[in-house]
């Protein structure tokens, strides 16, 4: 199975900051990488698919980059509603696997 | 768009449970459907999925042989039959539909989850 590793596990930031999260795959997954946001008590929400394509309705301050084994999610100008946990998931092969998540907290 | 899970509850170790997910407002028959779980305070774990026509099914190693995924396209429903349940199966179980017609584009639609608690 493909292992997904996210870093950092948590980060503190302020409204208006720019933050970047990293996700690494244990083998080449081309661009088959999806990012999700999960707020407490809610189901996950798809933000970005195929590494860099923004899902309809997702604000443009979110962006994704990468291919192969190294991927990043960047949020520009953090808003209060962005404080949540972010997960990457490889969609290259079954079983799909998630990273362990990065929790974004308010400083 | 609605994905509504049901069937969760409290069950003893070794017991069985059947989860259901009814989908409305989006197409169902042509898309992969998945079950994803989340133990209390933990991250997401993909459990299983099934192709639109039911011809292919995939499982995570920890549930293979104990859980069975199925679907009824006429009823726009997804199921997860869980048997030989263990304490570490305790989690919120979400059903989710692939974003695209082929796999690779992630899980674009999610239900609100149904809670399964395995305890004596």
């Amino acid at each position: 199975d493909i292992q997904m590793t996210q870093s950092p596990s948590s980060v503190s930031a302020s409204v208006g900051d720019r933050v970047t999260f990293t996700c690494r795959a244990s083998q080449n997954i081309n661009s088959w990488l999806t990012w999700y946001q999960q707020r407490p008590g809610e189901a996950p929400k798809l933000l970005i698919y195929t590494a860099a394509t923004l899902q309809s309705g997702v604000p443009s301050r979110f962006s994704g980059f990468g291919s192969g084994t190294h991927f990043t999610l960047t949020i520009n100008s953090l808003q209060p509603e962005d404080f949540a946990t972010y997960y990457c998931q490889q969609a290259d092969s079954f079983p799909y696997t998630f990273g362990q998540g990065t929790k974004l907290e308010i400083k | 768009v609605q994905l509504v899970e049901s069937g969760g509850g409290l069950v003893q170790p070794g017991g069985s449970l059947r989860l259901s997910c009814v989908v409305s407002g989006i197409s169902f028959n042509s898309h992969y459907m998945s079950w994803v779980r989340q133990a209390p305070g933990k991250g997401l774990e993909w459990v299983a999925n099934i192709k639109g026509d039911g011809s292919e099914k995939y499982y995570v190693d920890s549930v293979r042989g104990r859980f069975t995924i199925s679907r009824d396209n006429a009823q726009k429903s997804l199921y997860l039959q869980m048997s030989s349940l263990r304490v570490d199966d305790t989690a919120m179980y979400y059903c989710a539909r692939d974003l695209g017609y082929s796999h690779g584009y992630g899980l674009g639609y999610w239900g609100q989850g149904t809670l399964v608690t395995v305890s004596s």
Side-chain angles (χ1 to χ4, degrees), chain A residues 17-47:
Chain A
D17 284 353
R18 178 186 189 218
V19 293
T20 296
F21 311 137
T22 296
C23 175
R24 293 184 184 272
S26 61
Q27 63 190 70
N28 181 13
I29 59 169
N30 298 296
S31 295
W32 301 115
L33 192 283
T34 308
W35 289 98
Y36 301 88
Q37 176 194 66
Q38 187 179 32
R39 299 187 179 110
E42 297 184 5
K45 172 187 173 183
L46 190 154
L47 299 176

Side-chain angles (χ1 to χ4, degrees), chain A residues 12-103:
Chain A
S12 296
S14 301
V15 172
D17 284 353
R18 178 186 189 218
V19 293
T20 296
F21 311 137
T22 296
C23 175
R24 293 184 184 272
S26 61
Q27 63 190 70
N28 181 13
I29 59 169
N30 298 296
S31 295
W32 301 115
L33 192 283
T34 308
W35 289 98
Y36 301 88
Q37 176 194 66
Q38 187 179 32
R39 299 187 179 110
E42 297 184 5
K45 172 187 173 183
L46 190 154
L47 299 176
I48 289 171
Y49 59 93
T50 55
T53 306
L54 205 63
Q55 168 67 331
S56 176
V58 174
S60 59
R61 62 181 180 272
F62 291 88
S63 63
F65 183 79
S67 67
T69 63
H70 185 211
F71 303 87
T72 59
L73 172 69
T74 297
I75 313 173
N76 288 299
S77 188
L78 278 170
Q79 299 300 301
E81 61 268 28
D82 299 337
F83 291 92
T85 301
Y86 292 85
Y87 295 93
C88 63
Q89 179 207 27
Q90 65 84 13
D92 176 76
S93 60
F94 303 129
Y96 286 166
T97 41
F98 289 91
Q100 78 278 20
T102 293
K103 187 174 183 179

Side-chain angles (χ1 to χ4, degrees), chain B residues 91-112:
Chain B
M92 182 72 77
Y93 284 74
Y94 296 99
C95 73
R97 199 207 81 175
D98 268 28
L99 180 66
Y101 286 102
S102 58
H103 80 87
Y105 299 93
L107 302 173
Y109 301 90
W110 294 69
Q112 285 305 303

